[in-house]
Amino acid sequence: AQSVTQLGSHVSVSEGALVLLRCNYSSSVPPYLFWYVQYPNQGLQLLLKYTSAATLVKGINGFEAEFKKSETSFHLTKPSAHMSDAAEYFCAVSGGSGNTGKLIFGQGTTLQVKP
Amino acid sequence: EAGVVQSPRYKIIEKKQPVAFWCNPISGHNTLYWYRQNLGQGPELLIRYENEEAVDDSQLPKDRFSAERLKGVDSTLKIQPAELGDSAVYLCASSAAQVAGTQYFGPGTRLLVL
């Protein structure tokens, strides 16, 4: 069965500092991986997705993630945090045998950005 | 292009009452999903439709939950009767293709059962 683990339910950074949100996945087949962001009282917005093309994926708002098969990781990074980045971030996996179309989400990581 | 529309945005009901949520997906998206998001957790799939057909409803509590997608466009999710544990955010999403197709989410319906 596929699963996603997000390390750290809360991450706090200073404005301008590096953002690193960790995601590890479990999948018996090559996965499709996603990062979504959720602002308070809103739905989920796609930041970026990996679909077996380039291992370094660039998304919106300056975020990027690197797929590392050997580490089964898909960590999200941003070089310089902005106050507007404060939100909940979800890593998700989809695809593979018996899981077509279904997104399996991690528990989420709340990003706090301090001035 | 209009996004996924959901209504109502908020709903407060007493336990044992019925409740219904409505979703209008992005035009042309054949696949529609209903997820439930409990407080402090990631969303979990309840049901997935391909056009009018429910192709994955294995996580839908069928004793009290029902869903329909007439004509393969709008969808309604119903709970009857509601229980305290049903308090959550119900998210609707749609996509244009399976597997790697990006899922676009609506704003959700926040349900509180008293």
Side-chain angles (χ1 to χ4, degrees):
Chain A
Q2 295 176 310
S3 65
V4 173
T5 301
Q6 292 184 238
L7 300 176
S9 58
H10 289 83
V11 171
S12 181
V13 301
S14 297
E15 190 173 20
L18 171 71
V19 175
L20 171 60
L21 305 183
R22 301 178 186 272
C23 172
N24 287 89
Y25 69 91
S26 172
S27 178
S28 59
V29 297
Y32 296 106
L33 294 160
F34 304 79
W35 274 99
Y36 281 85
V37 61
Q38 186 175 34
Y39 297 100
N41 298 319
Q42 295 187 27
L44 281 73
Q45 179 183 8
L46 181 71
L47 280 176
L48 49 82
K49 66 179 181 182
Y50 167 77
T51 56
S52 75
T55 57
L56 182 61
V57 182
K58 295 187 182 298
I60 63 172
N61 301 339
F63 284 94
E64 63 181 35
E66 186 173 8
F67 172 69
K68 292 186 176 180
K69 183 178 179 180
S70 62
E71 299 178 7
T72 61
S73 69
F74 190 57
H75 302 331
L76 182 71
T77 61
K78 181 175 181 177
S80 177
H82 191 273
M83 296 297 292
S84 61
D85 294 327
E88 186 86 11
Y89 292 80
F90 292 95
C91 181
V93 62
S94 178
S97 177
N99 190 34
T100 302
K102 172 182 177 180
L103 283 176
I104 296 175
F105 288 88
Q107 293 285 78
T109 298
T110 300
L111 176 64
Q112 179 187 25
V113 182
K114 298 176 292 185
Chain B
E1 178 181 272
V4 176
V5 179
Q6 291 188 247
S7 68
R9 291 293 313 275
Y10 305 91
K11 190 73 175 179
I12 301 175
I13 61 172
E14 294 188 347
K15 63 181 181 180
K16 300 185 181 181
Q17 294 299 306
V19 65
F21 315 125
W22 175 80
C23 173
N24 180 247
I26 293 173
S27 178
H29 282 191
N30 296 329
T31 308
L32 184 146
Y33 312 77
W34 282 103
Y35 288 86
R36 178 169 59 188
Q37 184 177 19
N38 292 315
L39 187 63
Q41 298 183 21
E44 294 180 324
L45 182 72
L46 289 174
I47 189 168
R48 176 168 66 94
Y49 281 94
E50 292 294 336
N51 298 305
E52 303 89 356
E53 182 182 2
V55 297
D56 183 357
D57 63 356
S58 58
Q59 300 303 310
L60 188 72
K62 298 181 183 62
D63 57 334
R64 297 183 300 106
F65 285 66
S66 64
E68 60 182 11
R69 192 184 183 197
L70 300 177
K71 301 181 181 179
V73 182
D74 295 3
S75 178
T76 301
L77 178 69
K78 298 178 181 178
I79 308 175
Q80 182 171 11
E83 298 180 350
L84 296 177
D86 295 331
S87 295
V89 177
Y90 292 83
L91 295 164
C92 179
S94 69
S95 71
Q98 294 185 25
V99 188
T102 299
Q103 295 185 24
Y104 296 88
F105 284 80
T109 296
R110 187 175 298 271
L111 174 66
L112 178 60
V113 182
L114 302 176

